[in-house]
Amino acid sequence: MIQTISNDSTHSATFAVDAPLKQAAHVEVQQKRSVAFDEDNNQYYDNTSRCAEDCAATWFTSADYREFRQTYREQTNQAAASSNFKAIRDLYLTCTTVNFILEDASELGHAAAKVQAAAQSMTSFDLIGMESNLCAAVKKDMRKKRESIQDVVFDIQLECDRGLWENVEEMQTELYESCINYTQACGLFAQLIAQMQAQME
């Protein structure tokens, strides 16, 4: 099976599904990134439709947020102590072991049994959207992947600014090949989680 990646230009690239993922080249960047806002240019708009008392009655308070955080911690700690932890971890590890380009998680033959096992161990929908928080290692790996994507995109953009990329299509292909190293596992994991939730209905 061959996967073809094309864009609006005449450039295209083909990848065999069993071809190993390309490792992104890292360029050391010394430039410090920062964001600043000009507070002198802020504009104030008076709200004539609501008074401060109305806002206080509808906004969450600091105590509300503390209660939300406490409830969140309790739910995730309880779930982490259960079979949910192992089920979610196994699903994620299944995705991280894929070393070739794959868009459809259903093509992972051994994943169906893991999805079924995860669906049976998850007793409610209370943790939908928080699955990655059940396992600290999964959450940490996802965070590292997000940071790596930012780094590799910034590196390639910096190379472009220095004139090292004369062909835009080739640069776009390099971006795709480099970023998919970090995005594919999370994308497959999201698909397996959706399949698990569908089986829980």
Side-chain angles (χ1 to χ4, degrees), residues 72-83:
Y72 166 80
R73 291 193 193 99
E74 291 175 357
Q75 286 184 339
T76 52
N77 288 339
Q78 290 172 2
S82 69
S83 58

Side-chain angles (χ1 to χ4, degrees), residues 16-35:
V17 168
D18 57 352
L21 292 175
K22 179 178 179 181
Q23 296 300 315
H26 182 73
V27 178
E28 291 294 332
V29 179
Q30 301 298 327
Q31 181 179 349
K32 182 178 180 181
R33 291 172 280 182
S34 62
V35 176

Side-chain angles (χ1 to χ4, degrees), residues 12-184:
S12 65
T14 58
F15 300 89
V17 168
D18 57 352
L21 292 175
K22 179 178 179 181
Q23 296 300 315
H26 182 73
V27 178
E28 291 294 332
V29 179
Q30 301 298 327
Q31 181 179 349
K32 182 178 180 181
R33 291 172 280 182
S34 62
V35 176
F37 299 94
D38 187 356
E39 299 292 343
D40 294 335
N41 286 330
N42 284 345
Q43 296 183 12
Y44 177 79
Y45 297 92
D46 192 17
N47 186 348
T48 58
S49 62
R50 302 185 69 191
C51 62
E53 290 75 14
D54 294 334
C55 295
T58 55
W59 289 359
F60 290 123
T61 64
S62 298
D64 291 330
Y65 285 114
R66 285 193 295 271
E67 183 178 351
F68 295 155
R69 284 193 290 268
Q70 181 62 30
T71 301
Y72 166 80
R73 291 193 193 99
E74 291 175 357
Q75 286 184 339
T76 52
N77 288 339
Q78 290 172 2
S82 69
S83 58
N84 296 336
F85 171 87
K86 184 177 185 301
I88 295 299
R89 184 192 60 194
D90 287 350
L91 282 183
Y92 188 73
L93 290 177
T94 297
C95 299
T96 59
T97 57
V98 180
N99 62 354
F100 51 86
I101 296 175
L102 182 66
E103 294 183 352
D104 188 353
S106 63
E107 296 182 17
L108 289 171
H110 58 290
K114 292 184 180 294
V115 169
Q116 185 176 10
Q120 291 173 351
S121 70
M122 300 290 281
T123 56
S124 70
F125 283 95
D126 292 343
L127 293 170
I128 286 182
M130 297 193 299
E131 292 87 359
S132 62
N133 294 305
L134 291 179
C135 181
V138 171
K139 186 176 182 179
K140 181 179 179 181
D141 190 62
M142 285 185 166
R143 183 173 63 249
K144 288 177 61 178
K145 282 179 167 56
R146 286 194 296 270
E147 293 172 353
S148 297
I149 291 170
Q150 294 173 350
D151 289 341
V152 74
V153 170
F154 183 76
D155 290 346
I156 294 176
Q157 289 176 335
L158 190 62
E159 293 174 357
C160 181
D161 292 340
R162 293 175 177 172
L164 301 179
W165 290 97
E166 298 179 358
N167 188 303
V168 176
E169 288 78 14
E170 291 181 359
M171 184 186 72
Q172 292 173 343
T173 301
E174 178 67 18
L175 276 170
Y176 170 80
E177 293 178 351
S178 298
C179 290
I180 200 171
N181 285 286
Y182 308 111
T183 60
Q184 177 167 277

